[in-house]
Amino acid sequence: MTMSRQEIQIFPVPCILLVQVLWKRQKNCERGTRMKLGVLRFTLTALFWIAVFVVPAGAALAAGEIQRPVAVKVNGNMLDVEAQLIDGRTMVPLRAIFERLSATLEWDPNTRSITATKGTVVIHLQIDNIEAKIGDRASTLDVPPLLVNGSTYVPLRFVSEALGANVDFDSTTNTAIVTTDNSCNLPGGQVHNGTIKPGGETWSVCGSPHFVKDDFYVEGKDSPNLVIEAGAVVRFENGAGILVGLNAPGGLVVEGTEKDPVTFSADTAGAQPGFWKGIHFYGQTVKGRASIDFAHIEYAGGSNGAVTVTAGTSPVELTVRDTLFKNNAYAGIQLMENTRLSPQSKNLTITGTKTSPDGGGAPIVTAAYGTNGLPDGDYKENELNVVLIAAAMSSTTINTNTTWNKLSIPYQAKITVYVDGPSSPVLTIAPGTETIWEKLSGLTVGSYDRGGLIAKGTKERPITFTSQLERPGSWDGIGAGPYVGKDFKLEYVHVKDAVNGITLPEDLGPILTNSTIENSKEYGIYIKSSNVATDYLAGNTFRSNAKDIYTQ
């Protein structure tokens, strides 16, 4: 077994002296039984090997010599853990100081390295290594980060000053005094559970990290708002979450900035995706009071997304800007029923999303209504790099004008998407958009009420409709119903692997141009009429269909 330097220590000298004494007694022993000699030899052997080899770190001093414990006061409040004076330097348990200074923390067990982030400041440290980095700038420490009695200790002055704090030492009280520029008079570690106070609450850097235990309800007769200010850190116990507007009106506004984002994370080291429930907005969310700006959201989700919006008949819009979603379960953002992201939403990064027992695994999971105007972003390294269109039922309806923007990832539909309603909604699909359809799903326009579809690609950026299984007949295709309007145009589209590529109720005229239909299990185009005058083959490409065109 190999142990690192901080995990072992040479057995103290007094033990070696004891071995020598026992050895002399054995040599001078002229009487006694063989059994006594055997016991003595066993004892000598055991003590010898203990003296030569090592013992676990529970009794070790790590790499340096602990001289005495030190108290630490941050902005007037004592830490609830002691620091240690090691080799003349004050070393403090890393989590205690990082949280009190509102920094987020990541631990890599493989490299035994620590990354602390506060706003735009990023610090890199490694156990037993005096080389550190602040951003891209290298720095050499007097004492490296150490493991002491199973806890990781870091140099207080370096970490504090790197995070913008000042450090002084009061030799009279043996206390390290850390001060920041704010005038906070609240102790860190404010705890929140139950229901928001009447009149609302503000969570800020003062009092960070904020701890949420169980569910925290933002609602009340006076429509209270929870405001979370720039730089605040909010940590959640297992299964806890923030619920907005569930039983009564309420609002949540997250006011992070580029320099000082708001952090939402798990209250544990080594958390896994889905550790905490997430942030949920419900149907009584106050209009205009649902926004998240410059936030980092990690280790949330599970049965729903890290941020979930759900509503009944009353539409709810959420604004999310300049926000990072990392290592969440099910989805980064989930939009259910009549909910959407607002047009002001932008600059999303969603990565590391994992599937949960309820499925998901995509950066965005949404009902059809929520597909409108989704902002492009950095949607890499999720288990499914798609916008997943799903619903509790087998179909979902777009009943207002909706645009599918060209994104860096495809849209993937698990359900049949219907476009119809009293307002004659039109689905517009931007050039270059890729759509993927699962088995028994399809796109149906004007089937039960009026509706339209405008899918106009370009030669360089066609719009694709294809299947998840990539074989003929593995999705239902594009269908126009009896109530389809004049807004039904397909240009530079590629329809592949459907049962019927396009189904029309009658001859709709030249609605298809410069397009390709291939690998249809039955028909490239199926027209439910025998009175057909339009030559749909002209100007289009048909390949490997069982039959290119069928008319009744």
Side-chain angles (χ1 to χ4, degrees), residues 327-383:
N327 296 334
N328 296 295
Y330 192 80
I333 298 175
Q334 183 181 11
L335 303 170
M336 302 173 67
E337 300 171 328
N338 294 319
T339 66
R340 290 179 170 179
L341 294 182
S342 75
Q344 291 75 40
S345 298
K346 60 175 183 159
N347 296 340
L348 306 182
T349 299
I350 307 179
T351 185
T353 311
K354 304 296 183 183
T355 56
S356 76
D358 294 285
I364 299 174
V365 177
T366 179
Y369 185 89
T371 56
N372 180 64
L374 291 175
D376 199 10
D378 186 354
Y379 305 130
K380 299 175 183 175
E381 298 182 7
N382 304 284
E383 286 201 17

Side-chain angles (χ1 to χ4, degrees), residues 150-412:
S151 297
T152 302
Y153 279 65
V154 293
L156 174 64
R157 181 175 295 277
F158 169 80
V159 171
S160 299
E161 292 180 351
L163 294 174
N166 298 313
V167 181
D168 294 309
F169 193 83
D170 185 343
S171 57
T172 303
T173 60
N174 200 36
T175 301
I177 300 172
V178 181
T179 56
T180 59
D181 292 336
N182 62 45
S183 57
C184 177
N185 52 14
L186 281 177
Q190 295 293 299
V191 176
H192 310 274
N193 56 21
T195 303
I196 192 171
K197 298 174 184 176
E201 296 182 21
T202 298
W203 299 354
S204 63
V205 171
C206 184
S208 284
H210 298 266
F211 292 100
V212 177
K213 299 180 181 294
D214 300 320
D215 287 331
F216 184 76
Y217 293 85
V218 182
E219 57 185 37
K221 294 180 179 179
D222 61 343
S223 303
N225 293 310
L226 172 59
V227 177
I228 304 181
E229 293 185 342
V233 176
V234 185
R235 297 190 179 278
F236 294 80
E237 285 195 347
N238 190 11
I242 295 178
L243 283 61
V244 183
L246 176 59
N247 304 299
L252 171 64
V253 177
V254 178
E255 298 180 334
T257 65
E258 183 176 8
K259 181 180 179 182
D260 294 303
V262 173
T263 298
F264 299 91
S265 189
D267 180 27
T268 185
Q272 296 298 313
F275 179 85
W276 59 285
K277 182 179 296 182
I279 301 170
H280 292 209
F281 296 87
Y282 293 93
Q284 296 193 62
T285 300
V286 176
K287 185 176 181 180
R289 304 299 290 174
S291 61
I292 299 174
D293 288 298
F294 286 103
H296 295 170
I297 303 173
E298 59 184 8
Y299 304 117
S303 57
N304 295 107
V307 171
T308 296
V309 193
T310 182
T313 57
S314 299
V316 174
E317 274 195 353
L318 169 68
T319 299
V320 185
R321 290 176 288 222
D322 303 290
T323 292
L324 167 66
F325 297 80
K326 185 177 181 181
N327 296 334
N328 296 295
Y330 192 80
I333 298 175
Q334 183 181 11
L335 303 170
M336 302 173 67
E337 300 171 328
N338 294 319
T339 66
R340 290 179 170 179
L341 294 182
S342 75
Q344 291 75 40
S345 298
K346 60 175 183 159
N347 296 340
L348 306 182
T349 299
I350 307 179
T351 185
T353 311
K354 304 296 183 183
T355 56
S356 76
D358 294 285
I364 299 174
V365 177
T366 179
Y369 185 89
T371 56
N372 180 64
L374 291 175
D376 199 10
D378 186 354
Y379 305 130
K380 299 175 183 175
E381 298 182 7
N382 304 284
E383 286 201 17
L384 294 175
N385 289 317
V386 299
V387 171
L388 197 59
I389 305 173
M393 299 183 297
S394 60
S395 65
T396 187
T397 301
I398 293 174
N399 55 20
T400 62
N401 287 341
T402 295
T403 298
W404 288 3
N405 288 333
K406 165 70 173 71
L407 305 179
S408 57
I409 57 176
Y411 298 77
Q412 181 168 318

Side-chain angles (χ1 to χ4, degrees), residues 391-471:
M393 299 183 297
S394 60
S395 65
T396 187
T397 301
I398 293 174
N399 55 20
T400 62
N401 287 341
T402 295
T403 298
W404 288 3
N405 288 333
K406 165 70 173 71
L407 305 179
S408 57
I409 57 176
Y411 298 77
Q412 181 168 318
K414 296 178 69 68
I415 43 98
T416 293
V417 175
Y418 288 85
V419 184
D420 54 40
S423 64
S424 301
V426 176
L427 171 61
T428 302
I429 303 179
T433 299
E434 181 182 357
T435 68
I436 301 172
W437 302 82
E438 297 191 17
K439 190 172 180 61
L440 302 179
S441 70
L443 177 60
T444 300
V445 181
S447 182
Y448 300 101
D449 208 333
R450 294 169 296 173
L453 170 65
I454 303 296
K456 290 187 175 182
T458 66
K459 183 177 181 179
E460 294 76 21
R461 297 195 300 164
I463 298 169
T464 61
F465 298 85
T466 188
S467 74
Q468 181 192 30
L469 300 177
E470 297 184 341
R471 61 173 182 260

Side-chain angles (χ1 to χ4, degrees), residues 94 98 105-107 112-116 123-125 127 152:
L94 84 169
F98 282 145
L105 183 66
E106 289 188 11
W107 164 257
R112 302 195 310 160
S113 60
I114 307 138
T115 301
I123 302 171
H124 299 281
L125 299 164
I127 297 297
T152 302

